Amino acid sequence: MIILKVNNLSIEEISKINRVVVDEISFSLKKGESLGIVGESGSGKTVTAMSLLNLLSDDLRVSRGTVEFLGMNICKSSEKELEKIRGNQFSIIFQNPISSLNPLMKVGKQILEVIKKHQNLNKKEELNRTFEVLSDVGFKDNFLEIFNKYPHELSGGQGQRIGIAMAIANNPKIIIADEPTTALDKDIECQILKLLKDIQKKYNTSIILISHDLEVIKNFTDNSLIMYFGQIVESGPTKEIFSSPYHHYTKGLLDSLPRNFKKGEPIKVMKGGIPDINDRIEGCFFSPRCPMVTEFCKKNRVDYTLTEGNSRGIRCINPLKEIDYEK
Ligand SMILES: Nc1ncnc2c1ncn2[C@@H]1O[C@H](COP(=O)(O)OP(=O)(O)OP(=O)(O)O)[C@@H](O)[C@H]1O
Ligand SMILES: [Mg+2]
């Protein structure tokens, strides 16, 4: 069952006409599915995530398209309607959750407040649910100790677990995790990702995981979107994309992974960098960096096209493999 559907969504900066930050992206998310969004810094991952909950900052706006969550158009919903779903049916985990907590309130109380806001439980049930989520995020023997801590007393890993506890407290249908492990050590990162996977299984939650780390996306997600300069350039089942990419950008990202370096061969680094947002590129946005660029690519915009059967999407006229497009 599809619970989130994004159709041709474009986001622009209000002050500068035509400065598009996210450009006609479309994707859907099924119940229990995990979707990875990957791309270099500035590719539009966070802006996309924020728009899904209608949390764009004041200087940005949706200029086109829709975000449908269980049939409701998020872009057109009132603040009152959105308040009902944010942190309840649809929640978000940030890179540094400690900074989004109230520094003056014990963390247990903060989880309790989130539960109180959205669930109709008595005091004992609220407390039991708080202990249950603390246990879900790995505080099994020490949940009372953690309950009574202030945010500044938490380590980075504990803080991220509390961020996850807040996000799952009301058993949401979707969790967005925006770079949830970027600030953590590698071993803690693995624990947190495993935890997210366990929670996804226990509650059959859909997860959107945003990362610039391809290994994280590969190990964690069912489907992926590869973003470049505000556009989706490739999408599909993660396994397929990683074993057989269509887009030259995806291939470039994969080739530059340390695990793909072969001894004795030069390190492959993609040439160039992501364009400046003020750059006006006439043709395909990736054309200045593409190893297979043609004169056509330099001059013409390239549409995002679905393959036959709709399993994969691609924005390239000269892909790495022959594709049967949707008729
Ligand atoms: N409030 C804003 N006003 C104007 N432009 C913005 C705003 N927020 C982001 N942008 C621009 O939108 C583009 C996408 O930014 P975004 O934060 O979504 O990138 P990202 O893919 O999440 O990058 P990172 O990996 O660094 O987190 C960038 O060019 C950024 O400068
Ligand atoms: Mg970001």
Side-chain angles (χ1 to χ4, degrees):
M1 177 183 131
I2 290 178
I3 54 175
L4 181 76
K5 198 160 177 20
V6 176
N7 280 315
N8 287 326
L9 185 75
S10 294
I11 298 164
E12 65 182 16
E13 204 180 334
I14 293 171
S15 59
K16 292 179 190 133
I17 293 166
N18 290 339
R19 202 173 108 154
V20 177
V21 173
V22 168
D23 190 17
E24 292 203 8
I25 59 169
S26 299
F27 62 91
S28 57
L29 183 71
K30 291 197 187 119
K31 177 126 191 71
E33 179 191 345
S34 52
L35 176 76
I37 306 184
V38 71
E40 284 165 290
S41 187
S43 55
K45 306 181 295 293
T46 296
V47 169
T48 300
M50 297 311 257
S51 71
L52 302 182
L53 274 163
N54 204 336
L55 283 172
L56 288 176
S57 60
D58 290 345
D59 49 348
L60 296 173
R61 72 165 165 229
V62 169
S63 54
R64 235 197 115 181
T66 53
V67 175
E68 281 174 42
F69 172 61
L70 293 172
M72 166 180 172
N73 184 356
I74 297 277
C75 309
K76 293 264 173 344
S77 300
S78 65
E79 267 309 299
K80 210 168 161 197
E81 287 167 320
L82 291 165
E83 277 299 305
K84 278 194 206 143
I85 63 161
R86 287 187 197 132
N88 182 27
Q89 300 199 53
F90 203 149
S91 48
I92 189 157
I93 304 167
F94 296 103
Q95 187 177 334
N96 184 359
I98 296 178
S99 63
S100 55
L101 293 171
N102 178 347
L104 304 175
M105 197 191 276
K106 289 178 177 172
V107 293
K109 182 97 192 321
Q110 298 195 49
I111 299 171
L112 200 77
E113 291 294 320
V114 172
I115 294 169
K116 204 182 255 178
K117 185 170 170 194
H118 293 288
Q119 297 189 46
N120 198 9
L121 301 176
N122 65 35
K123 283 206 156 25
K124 188 164 177 254
E125 289 166 334
E126 282 166 3
L127 203 57
N128 284 342
R129 176 65 188 149
T130 306
F131 292 152
E132 186 186 17
V133 292
L134 282 172
S135 158
D136 279 343
V137 297
F139 301 120
K140 294 205 186 329
D141 304 324
N142 60 341
F143 62 83
L144 260 182
E145 184 196 328
I146 294 290
F147 184 97
N148 284 311
K149 281 198 175 187
Y150 286 95
H152 74 270
E153 296 176 302
L154 302 171
S155 69
Q158 285 176 337
Q160 196 48 280
R161 284 174 196 272
I162 294 299
I164 296 172
M166 301 276 281
I168 64 166
N170 293 316
N171 197 1
K173 299 205 161 41
I174 303 179
I175 297 176
I176 302 175
D178 189 357
E179 306 270 5
T181 56
T182 306
L184 304 175
D185 295 341
K186 264 284 165 229
D187 56 332
I188 311 278
E189 171 174 68
C190 290
Q191 290 172 19
I192 297 291
L193 290 171
K194 182 174 177 311
L195 175 65
L196 274 173
K197 228 175 196 170
D198 292 346
I199 283 164
Q200 182 191 12
K201 236 191 225 155
K202 177 172 175 187
Y203 293 103
N204 199 19
T205 318
S206 309
I207 295 192
I208 299 178
L209 177 70
I210 296 174
S211 180
H212 60 268
D213 186 335
L214 269 87
E215 292 285 4
V216 166
I217 296 293
K218 178 176 171 238
N219 294 329
F220 186 84
T221 62
D222 304 317
N223 291 303
S224 300
L225 308 177
I226 315 289
M227 286 194 72
Y228 186 77
F229 204 50
Q231 298 182 328
I232 297 175
V233 293
E234 177 154 14
S235 69
T238 304
K239 259 197 195 132
E240 284 182 33
I241 292 181
F242 276 71
S243 61
S244 172
Y246 286 152
H247 202 283
H248 301 278
Y249 177 58
T250 316
K251 173 92 168 42
L253 287 177
L254 290 171
D255 282 349
S256 38
L257 278 176
R259 74 175 161 84
N260 290 338
F261 294 162
K262 294 199 178 80
K263 224 177 154 188
E265 282 183 17
I267 294 172
K268 289 183 196 160
V269 182
M270 224 186 311
K271 72 167 187 182
I274 207 156
D276 184 276
I277 187 118
N278 292 310
D279 288 352
R280 293 196 134 256
I281 298 170
E282 206 183 322
C284 163
F285 291 163
F286 189 61
S287 61
R289 296 174 80 182
C290 183
M292 299 295 283
V293 63
T294 64
E295 285 309 308
F296 181 90
C297 310
K298 289 183 195 167
K299 301 223 163 47
N300 297 280
R301 284 289 156 90
V302 179
D303 289 336
Y304 178 69
T305 319
L306 293 172
T307 58
E308 192 165 5
N310 291 355
S311 77
R312 292 181 67 173
I314 174 88
R315 192 187 285 276
C316 181
I317 56 143
N318 198 13
L320 283 150
K321 302 231 156 62
E322 212 167 288
I323 299 173
D324 288 331
Y325 288 106
E326 198 197 15
K327 288 182 188 86

